[in-house]
Amino acid sequence: MGDEVSNKQIVLRAYVKGSAKQSDMILKTSTIKLKVPEHCNGAVLVKNLYLSCDPYIRTRMSFLQGSYVDSFTLASPIQGYGVGRVVDSSHPNFKKGDLVWGMTAWEEYTLITSTERLFKVQHTDLPLSYYTGLLGMPGATAYFGFYEICSPKQGETVFISAASGAVGQLVGQFAKLSGCYVVGSAGSKDKVDLLKNKFGFDDAFNYKEEPDFNAALKRYFPNGIDIYFDNVGGKMLDAVLLNMRLHGRISACGMISQYDVEELEGVKNLFNIVTKRIRMEGFLVSDYYHLYSKFLDTVLPLVKDGKITYVEDISEGLESAPSALIGLFSGRNIGKQVVVVSRE
Amino acid sequence: MGDEVSNKQIVLRAYVKGSAKQSDMILKTSTIKLKVPEHCNGAVLVKNLYLSCDPYIRTRMSFLQGSYVDSFTLASPIQGYGVGRVVDSSHPNFKKGDLVWGMTAWEEYTLITSTERLFKVQHTDLPLSYYTGLLGMPGATAYFGFYEICSPKQGETVFISAASGAVGQLVGQFAKLSGCYVVGSAGSKDKVDLLKNKFGFDDAFNYKEEPDFNAALKRYFPNGIDIYFDNVGGKMLDAVLLNMRLHGRISACGMISQYDVEELEGVKNLFNIVTKRIRMEGFLVSDYYHLYSKFLDTVLPLVKDGKITYVEDISEGLESAPSALIGLFSGRNIGKQVVVVSRE
């Protein structure tokens, strides 16, 4: 129990400006005692099994001041969501052997001293990795970001960007279950096929083959868009604004097109917000974590009945994490990007 | 009654691109019979007394397709809000001698065939010209755009751009009555003085003397902005986004900085909408006209008790209308820009 073991870590080398590269992160080998130290009351020591690559991680790799998140600490492991098994605990709610998901770090073992964002895994009849996606932060993001922000009504038209990603694929399925007409954009033919054939989108297009987003949207939405679930920001948002319908809603979930650029893109068509009485609203899933069990109660039966499906892109080994993360920004992943650190 | 009289008109010469000029409008003299024609059932013939110069008029001077408003008809009088006296009527709700406000045209006499946006003036103990501002469209815009969209709470911080204008001066006074801390921006020292000394704003600044809007806002709102009432869009909106507080609200009322430019400005800081969970919402006052009497019931006593004041910039004569309108875009007017066509 008290033995010191080797602990491989992925640490940030230097703060990133412009495009992040794999070499901005390096593998480091440290050591750790597999026991919560005596002075760490309420802490949990976790063996990490699955790590989640999420676009927002890029923002923490920059040097930030007064942002909604803190910059990562240099030479310390990248922090992020993951699934793990409790190795030791001084917290009354977690005991050795428990499976947990929540905020951990990119290393083999993590001492979690703040358990505010740590949840016990109660249902193990689904793949554990789903707690990095469908049943974890991205799943709750899709659920609350769609139902709470977009107020969908049957028959409305819904557009989703980055639609095959961890969040988008679920938003599309929720929208279909709500009786909406759903179109998604993604960055390859394979992803477009996935949207249409696997996730049941009514239609989908490859934005990389569209020289004019406005023209593409007019083709797919001749009568306009009621709801836009925005994962990308930038040029696509600008084109969407031209195609929104009166009283449309935009759920501002993320803006991946803007995280990894030297210079932010300007959005020019905001006057449409006035003339079409559009509501554009941002949210962070953490504001809804108190409703997490409500989310699970709704989603688990849908998953078990086959009414919701989920696609993951699984990368093997902690060493692969930097490459997997960087791949998000060129759209290399197909579905939710997960890194397996260990399968048990 | 059936006599034909001369009818001076301000008509649009050609559709405008980029900056509108006075010479885009010309004075034309036509004739009109002071009687509603027999085939015009439900029409009202009005002698125009006061005309309203509103920024949105600029948008209708462009050649538009699929916009929320139609382009003006070339060689026809500019359409806009005004106050007038009924000369003849075939509409049961309006009779000769009634004072009315609503959608009319820039000419001496107007035959109003669609009375959907025509309201009878019920209270004549205040200046009639107020029905182009405080008691008309801009007043209702300020009232519904602030209370319905911003959900103000006591102690919150409110920023208003174009704050001494027809709408802004009222939003500031409503915000003060709601117990908010209120700062406005305007384009001259005189306007800034007006905001502080006449309208009771807590503070105000001249945006033309601020090379860095972000720095200015940080000075006036060291703890950030809860509510932004946006009349200008563009660069100021971009800077405000950097200074909004968590769960802030932006009422997108207008974007005057963008109506009269060749190339729209890009807004780069929209990611703040996500991270700060901002709600940005557009509205058009016409969606609230069914609540107009509720608005009057609230505002009239406030005006009569001296709790709300109003400043107008009155321009004499129909001939002065083009110059008065163009002045809005350089901020020449101080307060609500009105044109007097006739005082009786």
Side-chain angles (χ1 to χ4, degrees), chain A residues 45-339:
Chain A
L45 186 81
V46 163
K47 179 183 185 187
N48 293 306
L49 304 176
Y50 298 94
L51 296 175
S52 177
C53 291
D54 297 297
Y56 85 90
I57 288 180
R58 170 65 190 83
T59 62
R60 299 190 64 188
M61 295 169 74
S62 298
F63 181 71
L64 302 170
Q65 280 180 307
S67 175
Y68 76 116
V69 286
D70 296 325
S71 295
F72 290 130
T73 305
L74 291 184
S76 289
I78 303 285
Q79 291 179 297
Y81 285 92
V83 182
R85 186 179 292 280
V86 175
V87 173
D88 189 29
S89 168
S90 65
H91 192 292
N93 296 356
F94 301 96
K95 62 176 203 299
K96 186 177 167 178
D98 280 351
L99 288 164
V100 292
W101 77 268
M103 195 46 79
T104 181
W106 287 20
E107 53 188 344
E108 289 173 285
Y109 298 94
T110 302
L111 179 68
I112 299 172
T113 54
S114 159
T115 54
E116 200 188 310
R117 293 202 191 164
L118 198 64
F119 304 84
K120 212 135 89 170
V121 169
Q122 309 277 12
H123 306 268
T124 54
D125 47 349
L126 289 165
L128 262 187
S129 56
Y130 276 11
Y131 287 91
T132 66
L134 171 55
L135 304 176
M137 182 275 280
T141 297
Y143 183 82
F144 295 110
F146 182 63
Y147 288 110
E148 299 286 324
I149 308 288
C150 300
S151 322
K153 285 188 280 293
Q154 190 162 359
E156 289 194 316
T157 58
V158 176
F159 177 56
I160 302 158
S161 52
S164 70
V167 174
Q169 55 176 297
L170 289 173
V171 174
Q173 294 178 80
F174 290 142
K176 283 309 297 171
L177 289 171
S178 303
C180 298
Y181 179 83
V182 184
V183 178
S185 64
S188 74
K189 186 182 177 307
D190 285 350
K191 292 180 186 181
V192 166
D193 289 346
L194 205 60
L195 292 176
K196 292 202 275 195
N197 303 326
K198 175 113 183 152
F199 300 130
F201 283 52
D202 294 289
D203 220 328
F205 65 90
N206 178 354
Y207 73 92
K208 290 182 179 168
E209 290 183 348
E210 297 292 345
D212 180 344
F213 291 170
N214 180 25
L217 291 168
K218 286 208 165 20
R219 214 161 63 230
Y220 289 97
F221 296 99
N223 299 314
I225 299 167
D226 291 303
I227 292 173
Y228 175 42
F229 196 98
D230 188 11
N231 291 312
V232 305
K235 285 190 181 69
M236 186 62 87
L237 172 58
D238 222 358
V240 166
L241 285 165
L242 295 175
N243 290 281
M244 289 297 288
R245 301 187 68 181
L246 295 191
H247 302 289
R249 286 84 69 201
I250 298 178
S251 179
C253 175
M255 301 196 172
I256 191 172
S257 76
Q258 304 301 298
Y259 301 163
D260 204 40
V261 293
E262 196 85 44
E263 177 86 20
L264 294 169
E265 277 172 8
V267 170
K268 297 187 170 184
N269 297 317
L270 290 172
F271 187 50
N272 286 271
I273 289 183
V274 180
T275 58
K276 296 175 183 165
R277 300 81 129 178
I278 293 168
R279 173 164 55 80
M280 177 169 181
E281 193 165 351
F283 71 100
L284 290 185
V285 63
S286 47
D287 291 341
Y288 295 95
Y289 277 157
H290 61 288
L291 301 172
Y292 175 69
S293 65
K294 179 190 154 194
F295 154 73
L296 265 196
D297 291 346
T298 310
V299 167
L300 277 175
L302 293 169
V303 178
K304 289 177 184 170
D305 292 353
K307 288 185 178 145
I308 284 191
T309 184
Y310 203 63
V311 169
E312 300 179 313
D313 192 326
I314 299 210
S315 178
E316 292 291 330
L318 181 65
E319 294 83 347
S320 72
S323 155
L325 178 68
I326 299 302
L328 291 179
F329 301 99
S330 59
R332 203 187 56 201
N333 57 306
I334 295 191
K336 167 66 197 174
Q337 182 65 60
V338 185
V339 173

